[in-house]
Amino acid sequence: MTVGEMLVATVPMARTLNLEFLETTPERAVVRLPDQADYHNHVGGPHAGAMFTLAESASGAIVIAAFGDQMSRAVPLAVKAEIGYKKLAMGEVTATATLGRPIADVVAQLDAGERPEFPVAIEIQRADGAVTGEMTVVWTLRPNS
């Protein structure tokens, strides 16, 4: 099962919005929100809440891809998120997530018995390539014990 398939199977909101996981690697996650009238706002584009969920889902995908091998000893949790809406989004939108810290540094903190935090930067784009939003989600790996 791919990371995208796992998230669609286990996260009802990703399934509800019909998110498409195009790429999920430890270096980058790309997720698309198709244009769907049921999730439009008052100007006919994707609702801000749908774009937030898209970006947060892309951040979760990269976290699973990067730290999936740590899940037996820690659970990933979003700590905080900040989003900025830059331009009007219309049609389908795509979120691209990148890790803000090296994987090895985060794992080293976990190995040292700490609860590491790390940012994930996400860019939201329209089909024409215009950046419509930027989001940062700070994640942690909470040790199981």
Side-chain angles (χ1 to χ4, degrees), residues 1-12 14-15 18-25 30-31 57 60-62 64-65:
M1 184 178 276
T2 68
V3 170
E5 290 168 342
M6 183 195 71
L7 287 171
V8 168
T10 60
V11 180
R15 210 171 34 251
N18 300 307
L19 297 181
E20 301 168 357
F21 291 81
L22 306 177
E23 178 183 342
T24 52
T25 70
V30 181
V31 183
S57 297
I62 200 169
I64 298 298

Side-chain angles (χ1 to χ4, degrees), residues 2 46 60 79 83 89 91 104 123 126 132:
T2 68
V79 175
I83 192 166
E123 195 172 76
R126 297 187 304 225
T132 63

Side-chain angles (χ1 to χ4, degrees), residues 2-103:
T2 68
V3 170
E5 290 168 342
M6 183 195 71
L7 287 171
V8 168
T10 60
V11 180
M13 193 62 164
R15 210 171 34 251
T16 297
L17 289 178
N18 300 307
L19 297 181
E20 301 168 357
F21 291 81
L22 306 177
E23 178 183 342
T24 52
T25 70
E27 292 77 34
R28 187 171 114 123
V30 181
V31 183
R32 180 173 43 224
L33 173 66
D35 186 23
Q36 302 166 87
D38 286 346
Y39 305 112
H40 282 178
N41 58 20
H42 62 289
V43 294
H47 189 277
M51 288 193 295
F52 184 99
T53 300
L54 167 69
E56 194 275 341
S57 297
S59 77
I62 200 169
V63 168
I64 298 298
F67 301 107
D69 60 342
Q70 304 300 317
M71 297 303 137
S72 63
R73 65 182 184 143
V75 64
L77 298 169
V79 175
K80 63 183 172 179
E82 183 175 338
I83 192 166
Y85 300 101
K86 308 293 183 186
K87 289 186 179 185
L88 184 61
M90 298 298 282
E92 71 177 34
V93 288
T94 302
T96 302
T98 55
L99 280 177
R101 285 187 60 199
I103 294 169

